[in-house]
């Protein structure tokens, strides 16, 4: 029998290998090497980190392929890159570049107000954002092999990330009491996916936290709340000492249940990214509201 | 009897489940602790080094001061990134990446390429048949005289044993078969 490629087991399997790890946003090969050396399990290759996308305004798109290619050449760890919601041609381009994971991300400006990318059709695995269980299961049904709770990217504020992690857990617990068929109808997903979630007591794919993680304690908070790992976007390269912050967050995730260790790695990190109050962001600039 | 899984990063829960299943089959009842620090290495009869990212694992092991003491654990089973850690030599050399040097082998990282080249293939091993799940897998390029080859795929060595040290470049913990975990317990 010929070897088989791009199976759901291989797509979800890579995410399983990333568990307990930190995936870092990087915009240059130099940053990618710093991330790798600091213990990142993967990097997200971008033109701008979310905080700068926010500040810059305008339409945020897939990065220039040359940036992604240079970052792929710079490191041995997996390289992920983002496409706009529903932009299946950007996804085709990233697949042609050979990235290891595609993030269909609300951080970029959505390309399709109605449909997400049909991710099952791609050989490269996808990670997608979710604020609640319905979003997560719809994305999994479309073929996502990994879920990240959205949080509110580029804010340096963990409050939305916590809200979304808790929402998913609460809704999974609530499934036990209701009728699975009703939950499936309400969430617009096949009943089999709901039954599988009930059986596992958790999402059927790996679930990382994202959106606003800026300190080792933020990262450990997400882990203690039950996430499998964390994405750190602006939190590393918008801090005053990125290499030190990156190492500290990696150690805090590995030892998330050890407050002494978290205290130790949190010492003297300099300034984390400044961050912002959610109430200062007008509703039409909330990224998490996109692509539900 | 105390067997644990290194839990600093990677596919930890999968190995815990497979090791428990293997123990059950062999009539052993024991906990499988997750090992995150130096103290927890004390009194271990064996440890599994899971798949994950080898640079991350190497860095965290070094920070924890576990690289030296890990060599004193009597039995070690490394899968994928764990196999890289067990090797004597890693190519290409990544700045600062350390390995345990317990198996006389040279391994190359991402020997098959990136995620698009990840694959599943049925394997005929000296331990029996198993579904080989290769995810950005390393390659075993050379082995020393003391190393026994347990499986090959397309002319590449994919599983080896040297004394009490077992290594696979694929993921038995995703295969549906506990044959490698049972073998590890019997070493």
């Amino acid at each position: 029998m010929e070897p088989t490629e791009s199976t759901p087991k291989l797509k979800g399997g890579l995410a399983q290998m990333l568990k307990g790890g930190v995936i870092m946003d990087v915009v240059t090969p130099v940053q990618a090497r710093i991330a790798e050396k600091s213990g990142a399990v993967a990097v997200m290759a971008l033109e701008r980190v979310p905080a700068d996308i926010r500040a810059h305004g305008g339409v945020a798109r897939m990065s220039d392929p040359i940036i992604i290619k240079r970052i792929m050449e710079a490191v041995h760890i997996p390289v992920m890159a983002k496409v706009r919601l529903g932009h299946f041609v950007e996804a085709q381009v990233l697949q042609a570049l050979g990235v290891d994971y595609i993030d269909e991300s609300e951080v970029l400006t959505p390309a399709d107000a109605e449909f997400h990318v049909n991710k099952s059709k791609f050989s490269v695995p996808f990670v997608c954002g979710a604020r609640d269980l319905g979003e997560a299961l719809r994305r999994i049904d479309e073929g996502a092999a990994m879920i990240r709770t959205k949080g509110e990217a580029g804010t340096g504020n963990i409050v939305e990330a916590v809200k979304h992690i808790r929402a998913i857990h609460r809704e999974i617990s609530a499934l036990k009491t209701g009728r699975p068929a009703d939950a499936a109808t309400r969430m617009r997903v096949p009943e089999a996916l709901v039954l599988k979630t009930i059986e596992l007591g958790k999402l059927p794919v790996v679930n990382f936290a994202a959106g606003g993680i800026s300190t080792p304690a933020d990262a450990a908070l997400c882990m203690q709340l039950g996430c499998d790992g964390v994405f750190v976007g602006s939190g590393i390269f918008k801090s005053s000492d990125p290499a030190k912050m990156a190492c500290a967050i990696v150690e805090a995730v590995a030892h998330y249940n050890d407050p002494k260790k978290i205290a130790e790695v949190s010492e003297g990190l300099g300034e984390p990214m400044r961050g912002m109050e959610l109430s200062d962001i007008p509703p039409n600039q909330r990224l998490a509201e996109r692509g539900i | 009897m105390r067997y644990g899984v290194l839990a600093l990063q990677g596919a930890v829960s999968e190995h815990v489940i497979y090791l428990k299943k293997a123990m059950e089959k062999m009539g052993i009842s024991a906990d499988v602790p997750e090992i995150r620090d130096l103290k927890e290495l004390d009194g271990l009869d064996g440890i599994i080094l899971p798949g994950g990212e080898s640079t991350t694992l190497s860095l965290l092991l070094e920070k924890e001061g576990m690289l030296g003491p890990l060599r004193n654990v009597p039995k070690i089973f490394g899968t994928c990134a764990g196999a890289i850690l067990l090797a004597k030599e890693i190519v290409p050399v990544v700045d600062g990446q350390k390995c345990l040097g317990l198996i006389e082998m040279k391994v190359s990282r991402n020997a098959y390429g990136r995620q698009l080249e990840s694959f599943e293939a049925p394997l005929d091993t000296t331990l029996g048949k198993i579904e080989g799940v290769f995810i950005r897998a390393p390659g075993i390029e050379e082995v020393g005289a003391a190393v026994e080859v347990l499986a090959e795929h397309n002319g590449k060595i994919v599983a080896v044993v040297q004394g009490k040290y077992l290594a696979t470049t694929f993921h038995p913990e995703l295969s549906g078969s506990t044959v490698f975990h049972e073998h590890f317990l019997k070493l």
Side-chain angles (χ1 to χ4, degrees):
Chain A
M1 204 176 91
E2 279 300 297
T4 332
E5 294 178 353
S6 301
T7 60
K9 186 180 267 188
L10 294 167
K11 289 176 169 180
L14 179 54
Q16 285 170 277
M17 298 309 140
L18 301 176
K19 287 192 299 179
V22 183
I23 300 169
M24 303 182 192
D25 277 4
V26 298
V27 298
T28 64
V30 172
Q31 287 189 353
R33 268 186 229 111
I34 292 171
E36 181 175 55
K37 230 182 147 179
S38 307
V41 289
V43 291
M44 179 74 70
L46 286 164
E47 237 168 60
R48 278 190 281 272
V49 295
D52 289 334
I53 291 176
R54 230 174 236 295
H56 194 264
V59 173
R61 309 178 178 91
M62 176 190 78
S63 301
D64 184 334
I66 195 71
I67 295 180
I68 297 166
K69 274 163 82 175
R70 286 188 184 139
I71 288 170
M72 286 166 69
E73 283 160 16
V75 293
H76 298 277
I77 55 180
V79 175
M80 304 183 167
K82 288 185 196 288
V83 298
R84 285 179 267 175
L85 295 175
H87 206 315
F88 53 86
V89 175
E90 284 187 347
Q92 291 165 5
V93 170
L94 291 187
Q95 178 158 295
L97 291 175
V99 301
D100 297 291
Y101 242 93
I102 295 175
D103 184 357
E104 186 183 20
S105 176
E106 71 285 357
V107 170
L108 304 183
T109 309
D112 190 324
E114 201 177 352
F115 295 109
H116 281 72
V117 172
N118 181 356
K119 293 164 275 286
S120 311
K121 284 173 73 177
F122 284 80
S123 304
V124 174
F126 276 73
V127 55
C128 285
R131 297 173 312 168
D132 55 38
L133 183 59
E135 278 186 47
L137 294 183
R138 284 193 291 280
R139 299 298 87 79
I140 293 166
D141 188 40
E142 292 156 2
M146 180 178 184
I147 290 293
R148 57 172 172 72
T149 43
K150 285 177 175 173
E152 188 60 29
T155 60
N157 191 336
I158 195 72
V159 65
E160 293 296 292
V162 170
K163 191 205 268 180
H164 300 157
I165 297 165
R166 285 197 186 279
I168 288 178
H169 288 191
R170 191 168 45 238
E171 291 171 83
I172 290 174
S173 308
L175 287 180
K176 287 174 209 139
T177 51
R179 279 186 49 210
D182 294 343
T185 309
R186 194 180 64 247
M187 295 191 286
R188 290 174 277 133
V189 295
E191 190 180 350
L193 195 50
V194 173
L195 291 172
K196 196 171 176 192
T197 307
I198 295 172
E199 182 200 325
L200 295 169
K202 63 187 187 70
L203 289 179
V205 300
V206 167
N207 176 197
F208 272 43
I213 297 164
S214 320
T215 66
D218 285 349
L221 174 65
C222 296
M223 295 299 290
Q224 287 199 23
L225 286 171
C227 286
D228 294 314
V230 301
F231 283 89
V232 186
S234 319
I236 288 169
F237 290 97
K238 286 285 167 192
S239 70
S240 63
D241 190 343
K244 208 169 170 188
M245 181 63 85
C247 269
I249 293 180
V250 167
E251 281 194 81
V253 168
H255 301 283
Y256 67 91
N257 259 330
D258 184 346
K260 268 192 188 155
K261 193 93 199 172
I262 300 166
E264 206 180 290
V265 301
S266 300
E267 263 181 42
L269 291 178
E271 280 291 306
M273 73 178 283
R274 188 169 177 278
M276 58 209 294
E277 272 288 347
L278 265 294
S279 53
D280 293 341
I281 306 172
N284 63 350
Q285 287 173 27
R286 301 265 176 113
L287 305 177
E289 312 289 327
R290 296 168 165 177
I292 56 177
Chain B
M1 192 189 262
R2 197 161 171 268
Y3 284 87
V5 178
L6 183 73
L8 290 171
Q9 192 271 313
V12 177
S13 57
E14 292 79 353
H15 272 300
V16 170
I17 292 167
Y18 272 64
L19 200 51
K20 279 186 182 162
K21 265 194 217 160
M23 285 174 163
E24 218 169 89
K25 276 191 183 168
M26 293 166 68
I28 304 164
S29 93
D31 265 352
V32 177
E34 295 188 358
I35 309 297
R36 287 193 172 81
D37 66 37
L38 198 54
K39 303 184 295 287
E40 294 165 332
L41 285 178
D42 281 347
L44 277 186
D45 296 298
I47 189 167
I48 293 181
L49 312 180
E53 277 306 313
S54 60
T55 39
T56 307
L57 286 166
S58 147
L59 184 109
L60 288 166
L61 282 171
E62 202 179 4
K63 292 221 165 179
E64 229 8 72
M66 286 166 84
L67 273 172
L70 202 49
R71 289 193 183 91
N72 301 326
V73 178
K75 290 158 70 170
I76 308 182
F77 177 15
T79 61
C80 196
I84 297 176
L85 288 172
L86 280 171
K88 193 139 204 183
E89 192 188 346
I90 308 171
V91 286
V93 181
V94 176
D95 207 19
Q97 184 171 1
K98 303 270 180 6
C99 48
L100 297 166
L102 294 170
I103 298 183
E104 295 267 351
M105 61 178 177
K106 180 161 111 181
V107 298
S108 55
R109 293 188 64 179
N110 309 335
Y112 301 87
R114 311 192 71 96
Q115 173 64 10
L116 281 172
E117 280 75 50
S118 292
F119 64 97
E120 291 181 58
L123 301 175
D124 245 328
T125 80
T126 59
L127 307 177
K129 288 190 193 305
I130 190 167
E131 182 66 17
V133 182
F134 294 84
I135 299 175
R136 286 173 49 94
I140 299 173
E141 305 297 335
E142 285 170 30
V143 293
V147 176
E148 185 193 338
V149 174
L150 301 177
E152 289 187 23
H153 177 260
N154 281 347
K156 270 203 165 93
I157 300 169
V158 296
V160 296
V161 65
Q162 181 181 344
K164 305 271 187 197
Y165 306 124
L166 176 64
T168 63
T169 61
F170 56 93
H171 294 283
E173 78 283 9
L174 302 180
S175 69
S177 160
T178 55
V179 57
F180 274 77
H181 290 81
E182 289 168 51
H183 188 70
F184 175 56
L185 292 168
K186 286 179 203 152
L187 280 180

